[in-house]
Amino acid sequence: MADLDELYREIILDHYRNPRRRGTLHGPHVHAEGVNPSCGDEFALDLRIEDGVVTDVAIQGQGCSISQASGSMMAEAILGKEVPAVEDLMAKFRLMMGIDEGDSPIDPNRPGSVLGDLEALQGVRRFPVRIKCADLPWTTLADALAKAEAGT
Ligand code: ZN
C-alpha cells in the first residue's frame, strides 16, 4: 500500500497548492463560514443553487493542507450535482472518515471509484485529531445547504 499512500499524499498536496474553484461568487448565492480552532483552519464557501442543482461554487480559506485540500476536492465534487446527490456525497465522506459509524463505502479494489480524489483523505482517519481538519469544509457545506433550504 506504500505506493497508494504516496499517490494519496501527492493528490492532497496538489489540491493544497492549486486549490480548485478558489474565489467568490457574484450574483445570488449563499455564504457560509467555518473554523476549526484545534488546528486554526478557516474555510468559507459561496454556493449557488438553481432548480435544486449546485450550479456554481467558490471557496476561500486558509489553514493546513488537509483542511484546504478537502475543501478543494469537495468544491470540484459537488459542482453540477443535485442537492440530494451532494448530501449523499457528504454521507459517504463521513462514513469513509469514520465520523459517522458504519461501513466505509470505499471499494479498496478500485481506488477513486466512489469518491474520486476525496478518497485520498481516507488515511486521515488514522489521525483522529486531523479528522476535524478534513471535515471542516463539509460542516461548512452543511451550513450553506441549510441556509439555502431556509432561503436566507
Ligand atoms: Zn487542520
Side-chain angles (χ1 to χ4, degrees), residues 36 38-41 63-68 129-130 132-134 136:
N36 172 23
S38 66
C39 184
D41 305 317
C64 71
S65 58
I66 300 295
S67 65
Q68 303 306 306
V129 74
R130 307 305 300 281
K132 279 192 174 134
C133 302
L136 172 64

mmCIF file of all heavy atoms in Angstrom, residues 36 38-41 63-68 129-130 132-134 136, ligand 1:
data_model
loop_
_atom_site.group_PDB
_atom_site.id
_atom_site.type_symbol
_atom_site.label_atom_id
_atom_site.label_comp_id
_atom_site.label_asym_id
_atom_site.label_seq_id
_atom_site.Cartn_x
_atom_site.Cartn_y
_atom_site.Cartn_z
ATOM 1 N N ASN A 36 -11.907 25.687 12.498
ATOM 2 C CA ASN A 36 -11.515 24.521 13.276
ATOM 3 C C ASN A 36 -10.461 24.991 14.280
ATOM 4 O O ASN A 36 -9.275 25.019 13.971
ATOM 5 C CB ASN A 36 -10.942 23.450 12.341
ATOM 6 C CG ASN A 36 -10.333 22.295 13.102
ATOM 7 O OD1 ASN A 36 -10.678 22.048 14.252
ATOM 8 N ND2 ASN A 36 -9.402 21.599 12.464
ATOM 9 N N SER A 38 -9.026 23.802 16.813
ATOM 10 C CA SER A 38 -7.965 22.918 17.277
ATOM 11 C C SER A 38 -6.743 22.960 16.370
ATOM 12 O O SER A 38 -5.650 22.599 16.762
ATOM 13 C CB SER A 38 -8.487 21.474 17.408
ATOM 14 O OG SER A 38 -8.816 20.959 16.147
ATOM 15 N N CYS A 39 -6.932 23.420 15.111
ATOM 16 C CA CYS A 39 -5.810 23.487 14.184
ATOM 17 C C CYS A 39 -5.598 24.895 13.632
ATOM 18 O O CYS A 39 -4.563 25.196 13.062
ATOM 19 C CB CYS A 39 -6.054 22.493 13.034
ATOM 20 S SG CYS A 39 -4.728 22.349 11.829
ATOM 21 N N GLY A 40 -6.611 25.762 13.817
ATOM 22 C CA GLY A 40 -6.508 27.112 13.264
ATOM 23 C C GLY A 40 -6.986 27.231 11.829
ATOM 24 O O GLY A 40 -6.714 28.231 11.172
ATOM 25 N N ASP A 41 -7.667 26.199 11.332
ATOM 26 C CA ASP A 41 -8.140 26.222 9.946
ATOM 27 C C ASP A 41 -9.368 27.114 9.803
ATOM 28 O O ASP A 41 -10.237 27.147 10.674
ATOM 29 C CB ASP A 41 -8.546 24.812 9.485
ATOM 30 C CG ASP A 41 -7.432 23.813 9.676
ATOM 31 O OD1 ASP A 41 -6.276 24.148 9.360
ATOM 32 O OD2 ASP A 41 -7.729 22.696 10.134
ATOM 33 N N GLY A 63 -5.272 27.480 6.099
ATOM 34 C CA GLY A 63 -5.048 26.508 7.150
ATOM 35 C C GLY A 63 -4.172 25.380 6.641
ATOM 36 O O GLY A 63 -3.461 25.542 5.652
ATOM 37 N N CYS A 64 -4.280 24.251 7.316
ATOM 38 C CA CYS A 64 -3.386 23.140 6.994
ATOM 39 C C CYS A 64 -3.753 22.496 5.651
ATOM 40 O O CYS A 64 -4.825 22.730 5.093
ATOM 41 C CB CYS A 64 -3.436 22.104 8.115
ATOM 42 S SG CYS A 64 -4.980 21.184 8.172
ATOM 43 N N SER A 65 -2.853 21.678 5.158
ATOM 44 C CA SER A 65 -3.040 21.042 3.852
ATOM 45 C C SER A 65 -4.269 20.140 3.830
ATOM 46 O O SER A 65 -4.982 20.084 2.824
ATOM 47 C CB SER A 65 -1.798 20.237 3.467
ATOM 48 O OG SER A 65 -1.510 19.262 4.438
ATOM 49 N N ILE A 66 -4.557 19.476 4.958
ATOM 50 C CA ILE A 66 -5.706 18.561 4.984
ATOM 51 C C ILE A 66 -7.015 19.336 4.833
ATOM 52 O O ILE A 66 -7.883 18.981 4.033
ATOM 53 C CB ILE A 66 -5.736 17.764 6.310
ATOM 54 C CG1 ILE A 66 -4.464 16.940 6.489
ATOM 55 C CG2 ILE A 66 -6.974 16.873 6.386
ATOM 56 C CD1 ILE A 66 -4.261 15.841 5.494
ATOM 57 N N SER A 67 -7.154 20.417 5.578
ATOM 58 C CA SER A 67 -8.407 21.178 5.528
ATOM 59 C C SER A 67 -8.609 21.819 4.159
ATOM 60 O O SER A 67 -9.712 21.776 3.597
ATOM 61 C CB SER A 67 -8.428 22.252 6.629
ATOM 62 O OG SER A 67 -7.418 23.236 6.422
ATOM 63 N N GLN A 68 -7.555 22.412 3.612
ATOM 64 C CA GLN A 68 -7.709 23.153 2.363
ATOM 65 C C GLN A 68 -7.842 22.203 1.171
ATOM 66 O O GLN A 68 -8.587 22.473 0.226
ATOM 67 C CB GLN A 68 -6.543 24.130 2.174
ATOM 68 C CG GLN A 68 -6.391 25.120 3.329
ATOM 69 C CD GLN A 68 -7.664 25.894 3.651
ATOM 70 O OE1 GLN A 68 -8.253 26.516 2.765
ATOM 71 N NE2 GLN A 68 -8.108 25.850 4.904
ATOM 72 N N VAL A 129 -7.061 13.546 15.506
ATOM 73 C CA VAL A 129 -7.011 14.998 15.714
ATOM 74 C C VAL A 129 -7.127 15.750 14.390
ATOM 75 O O VAL A 129 -7.535 16.907 14.346
ATOM 76 C CB VAL A 129 -5.718 15.390 16.483
ATOM 77 C CG1 VAL A 129 -4.491 15.296 15.595
ATOM 78 C CG2 VAL A 129 -5.848 16.782 17.073
ATOM 79 N N ARG A 130 -6.789 15.064 13.286
ATOM 80 C CA ARG A 130 -6.846 15.719 11.974
ATOM 81 C C ARG A 130 -8.192 15.529 11.262
ATOM 82 O O ARG A 130 -8.436 16.154 10.237
ATOM 83 C CB ARG A 130 -5.736 15.193 11.054
ATOM 84 C CG ARG A 130 -4.339 15.259 11.642
ATOM 85 C CD ARG A 130 -3.959 16.673 12.107
ATOM 86 N NE ARG A 130 -3.977 17.678 11.053
ATOM 87 C CZ ARG A 130 -3.007 17.845 10.157
ATOM 88 N NH1 ARG A 130 -1.949 17.079 10.167
ATOM 89 N NH2 ARG A 130 -3.090 18.793 9.238
ATOM 90 N N LYS A 132 -11.022 16.496 12.108
ATOM 91 C CA LYS A 132 -11.760 17.767 12.112
ATOM 92 C C LYS A 132 -11.288 18.695 10.995
ATOM 93 O O LYS A 132 -12.051 19.508 10.483
ATOM 94 C CB LYS A 132 -11.605 18.471 13.462
ATOM 95 C CG LYS A 132 -12.526 17.931 14.531
ATOM 96 C CD LYS A 132 -12.530 18.847 15.747
ATOM 97 C CE LYS A 132 -13.552 18.383 16.746
ATOM 98 N NZ LYS A 132 -13.057 18.346 18.112
ATOM 99 N N CYS A 133 -10.004 18.580 10.649
ATOM 100 C CA CYS A 133 -9.461 19.390 9.542
ATOM 101 C C CYS A 133 -10.152 18.979 8.240
ATOM 102 O O CYS A 133 -10.624 19.824 7.482
ATOM 103 C CB CYS A 133 -7.960 19.157 9.405
ATOM 104 S SG CYS A 133 -7.003 19.548 10.894
ATOM 105 N N ALA A 134 -10.211 17.680 7.995
ATOM 106 C CA ALA A 134 -10.810 17.176 6.752
ATOM 107 C C ALA A 134 -12.304 17.475 6.699
ATOM 108 O O ALA A 134 -12.868 17.679 5.619
ATOM 109 C CB ALA A 134 -10.570 15.671 6.635
ATOM 110 N N LEU A 136 -13.949 20.055 8.159
ATOM 111 C CA LEU A 136 -14.340 21.473 8.222
ATOM 112 C C LEU A 136 -15.095 21.949 6.969
ATOM 113 O O LEU A 136 -16.171 22.565 7.096
ATOM 114 C CB LEU A 136 -13.105 22.348 8.485
ATOM 115 C CG LEU A 136 -13.338 23.864 8.395
ATOM 116 C CD1 LEU A 136 -14.306 24.334 9.482
ATOM 117 C CD2 LEU A 136 -12.014 24.622 8.512
HETATM 118 ZN ZN ZN B 1 -6.004 21.484 10.064
#
